[in-house]
mmCIF file of all heavy atoms in Angstrom:
data_model
loop_
_atom_site.group_PDB
_atom_site.id
_atom_site.type_symbol
_atom_site.label_atom_id
_atom_site.label_comp_id
_atom_site.label_asym_id
_atom_site.label_seq_id
_atom_site.Cartn_x
_atom_site.Cartn_y
_atom_site.Cartn_z
ATOM 1 N N GLU D 82 21.077 53.016 -29.394
ATOM 2 C CA GLU D 82 20.754 54.098 -28.436
ATOM 3 C C GLU D 82 20.707 55.458 -29.096
ATOM 4 O O GLU D 82 20.428 56.438 -28.404
ATOM 5 C CB GLU D 82 21.855 54.113 -27.381
ATOM 6 C CG GLU D 82 21.949 52.831 -26.553
ATOM 7 C CD GLU D 82 20.934 52.804 -25.438
ATOM 8 O OE1 GLU D 82 20.638 53.922 -24.894
ATOM 9 O OE2 GLU D 82 20.494 51.682 -25.059
ATOM 10 N N LYS D 85 17.451 57.448 -29.056
ATOM 11 C CA LYS D 85 17.103 57.683 -27.660
ATOM 12 C C LYS D 85 17.909 58.799 -27.034
ATOM 13 O O LYS D 85 17.371 59.635 -26.347
ATOM 14 C CB LYS D 85 17.311 56.365 -26.840
ATOM 15 C CG LYS D 85 16.650 56.370 -25.522
ATOM 16 C CD LYS D 85 16.829 55.076 -24.834
ATOM 17 C CE LYS D 85 17.175 55.319 -23.392
ATOM 18 N NZ LYS D 85 18.222 54.498 -22.902
ATOM 19 N N SER D 86 19.225 58.784 -27.326
ATOM 20 C CA SER D 86 20.025 59.847 -26.749
ATOM 21 C C SER D 86 19.699 61.188 -27.409
ATOM 22 O O SER D 86 19.744 62.235 -26.741
ATOM 23 C CB SER D 86 21.516 59.543 -26.864
ATOM 24 O OG SER D 86 21.908 59.560 -28.213
ATOM 25 N N THR D 89 16.542 62.196 -25.592
ATOM 26 C CA THR D 89 16.839 62.550 -24.226
ATOM 27 C C THR D 89 17.480 63.953 -24.123
ATOM 28 O O THR D 89 17.127 64.780 -23.295
ATOM 29 C CB THR D 89 17.782 61.538 -23.564
ATOM 30 O OG1 THR D 89 17.317 60.217 -23.931
ATOM 31 C CG2 THR D 89 17.867 61.668 -22.094
ATOM 32 N N ASP D 90 18.454 64.184 -25.055
ATOM 33 C CA ASP D 90 19.191 65.451 -25.001
ATOM 34 C C ASP D 90 18.466 66.619 -25.608
ATOM 35 O O ASP D 90 18.683 67.792 -25.181
ATOM 36 C CB ASP D 90 20.557 65.283 -25.691
ATOM 37 C CG ASP D 90 21.421 64.246 -25.035
ATOM 38 O OD1 ASP D 90 21.095 63.850 -23.891
ATOM 39 O OD2 ASP D 90 22.426 63.798 -25.634
ATOM 40 N N ASP D 94 10.226 67.942 -23.943
ATOM 41 C CA ASP D 94 9.308 67.358 -22.934
ATOM 42 C C ASP D 94 9.710 66.004 -22.409
ATOM 43 O O ASP D 94 9.026 65.445 -21.594
ATOM 44 C CB ASP D 94 7.912 67.312 -23.486
ATOM 45 C CG ASP D 94 7.462 68.656 -24.037
ATOM 46 O OD1 ASP D 94 7.941 69.640 -23.477
ATOM 47 O OD2 ASP D 94 6.690 68.693 -25.017
ATOM 48 N N TYR D 95 10.831 65.478 -22.896
ATOM 49 C CA TYR D 95 11.138 64.072 -22.520
ATOM 50 C C TYR D 95 11.869 64.017 -21.203
ATOM 51 O O TYR D 95 12.868 64.726 -20.973
ATOM 52 C CB TYR D 95 11.958 63.424 -23.611
ATOM 53 C CG TYR D 95 12.290 61.969 -23.354
ATOM 54 C CD1 TYR D 95 11.395 60.972 -23.602
ATOM 55 C CD2 TYR D 95 13.589 61.632 -22.832
ATOM 56 C CE1 TYR D 95 11.694 59.682 -23.330
ATOM 57 C CE2 TYR D 95 13.881 60.311 -22.569
ATOM 58 C CZ TYR D 95 12.944 59.319 -22.816
ATOM 59 O OH TYR D 95 13.246 58.024 -22.567
ATOM 60 N N THR D 96 11.419 63.163 -20.328
ATOM 61 C CA THR D 96 12.144 62.910 -19.084
ATOM 62 C C THR D 96 12.500 61.460 -19.017
ATOM 63 O O THR D 96 11.628 60.586 -19.238
ATOM 64 C CB THR D 96 11.245 63.182 -17.841
ATOM 65 O OG1 THR D 96 10.135 63.958 -18.233
ATOM 66 C CG2 THR D 96 12.051 63.872 -16.807
ATOM 67 N N GLU D 97 13.747 61.143 -18.730
ATOM 68 C CA GLU D 97 14.193 59.795 -18.698
ATOM 69 C C GLU D 97 13.875 59.172 -17.369
ATOM 70 O O GLU D 97 14.061 59.758 -16.334
ATOM 71 C CB GLU D 97 15.701 59.701 -18.976
ATOM 72 C CG GLU D 97 16.133 58.289 -19.199
ATOM 73 C CD GLU D 97 17.618 58.194 -19.606
ATOM 74 O OE1 GLU D 97 18.478 58.665 -18.886
ATOM 75 O OE2 GLU D 97 17.851 57.673 -20.707
ATOM 76 N N VAL D 98 13.284 57.939 -17.407
ATOM 77 C CA VAL D 98 13.026 57.264 -16.142
ATOM 78 C C VAL D 98 14.116 56.232 -15.889
ATOM 79 O O VAL D 98 14.831 56.294 -14.890
ATOM 80 C CB VAL D 98 11.640 56.532 -16.175
ATOM 81 C CG1 VAL D 98 11.443 55.718 -14.940
ATOM 82 C CG2 VAL D 98 10.534 57.550 -16.354
ATOM 83 N N ASP D 99 14.315 55.306 -16.827
ATOM 84 C CA ASP D 99 15.477 54.423 -16.752
ATOM 85 C C ASP D 99 15.917 54.072 -18.138
ATOM 86 O O ASP D 99 15.496 54.715 -19.113
ATOM 87 C CB ASP D 99 15.204 53.173 -15.893
ATOM 88 C CG ASP D 99 14.019 52.412 -16.445
ATOM 89 O OD1 ASP D 99 13.891 52.312 -17.674
ATOM 90 O OD2 ASP D 99 13.196 51.885 -15.637
ATOM 91 N N ALA D 100 16.793 53.062 -18.310
ATOM 92 C CA ALA D 100 17.438 52.804 -19.548
ATOM 93 C C ALA D 100 16.395 52.523 -20.680
ATOM 94 O O ALA D 100 16.685 52.756 -21.849
ATOM 95 C CB ALA D 100 18.370 51.636 -19.448
ATOM 96 N N THR D 101 15.257 51.943 -20.350
ATOM 97 C CA THR D 101 14.330 51.558 -21.434
ATOM 98 C C THR D 101 12.985 52.277 -21.358
ATOM 99 O O THR D 101 12.074 51.923 -22.019
ATOM 100 C CB THR D 101 14.068 50.039 -21.421
ATOM 101 O OG1 THR D 101 13.580 49.703 -20.150
ATOM 102 C CG2 THR D 101 15.294 49.266 -21.706
ATOM 103 N N SER D 102 12.906 53.313 -20.530
ATOM 104 C CA SER D 102 11.604 54.019 -20.472
ATOM 105 C C SER D 102 11.798 55.450 -20.075
ATOM 106 O O SER D 102 12.857 55.870 -19.551
ATOM 107 C CB SER D 102 10.648 53.344 -19.494
ATOM 108 O OG SER D 102 11.181 53.343 -18.221
ATOM 109 N N GLY D 103 10.773 56.247 -20.351
ATOM 110 C CA GLY D 103 10.794 57.649 -20.050
ATOM 111 C C GLY D 103 9.400 58.187 -20.088
ATOM 112 O O GLY D 103 8.455 57.394 -20.286
ATOM 113 N N THR D 104 9.187 59.451 -19.937
ATOM 114 C CA THR D 104 7.877 60.017 -20.071
ATOM 115 C C THR D 104 7.887 61.307 -20.895
ATOM 116 O O THR D 104 8.887 62.027 -20.931
ATOM 117 C CB THR D 104 7.251 60.401 -18.686
ATOM 118 O OG1 THR D 104 8.169 61.276 -18.060
ATOM 119 C CG2 THR D 104 7.022 59.173 -17.825
ATOM 120 N N ILE D 105 6.759 61.520 -21.624
ATOM 121 C CA ILE D 105 6.537 62.799 -22.284
ATOM 122 C C ILE D 105 5.189 63.219 -21.798
ATOM 123 O O ILE D 105 4.187 62.647 -22.077
ATOM 124 C CB ILE D 105 6.501 62.619 -23.814
ATOM 125 C CG1 ILE D 105 7.828 62.185 -24.351
ATOM 126 C CG2 ILE D 105 6.070 63.953 -24.455
ATOM 127 C CD1 ILE D 105 7.870 61.894 -25.840
ATOM 128 N N TRP D 112 11.010 52.069 -24.758
ATOM 129 C CA TRP D 112 11.953 51.808 -25.863
ATOM 130 C C TRP D 112 12.154 50.315 -26.010
ATOM 131 O O TRP D 112 12.433 49.616 -25.076
ATOM 132 C CB TRP D 112 13.327 52.444 -25.511
ATOM 133 C CG TRP D 112 13.230 53.942 -25.429
ATOM 134 C CD1 TRP D 112 13.012 54.677 -24.305
ATOM 135 C CD2 TRP D 112 13.409 54.860 -26.491
ATOM 136 N NE1 TRP D 112 13.022 55.968 -24.594
ATOM 137 C CE2 TRP D 112 13.277 56.144 -25.973
ATOM 138 C CE3 TRP D 112 13.707 54.719 -27.844
ATOM 139 C CZ2 TRP D 112 13.390 57.302 -26.722
ATOM 140 C CZ3 TRP D 112 13.775 55.882 -28.622
ATOM 141 C CH2 TRP D 112 13.610 57.170 -28.065
#
Side-chain angles (χ1 to χ4, degrees):
Chain D
E82 299 275 329
K85 195 176 136 224
S86 66
T89 314
D90 297 346
D94 304 330
Y95 181 80
T96 344
E97 191 172 58
V98 175
D99 57 39
T101 57
S102 61
T104 55
I105 294 176
W112 296 91

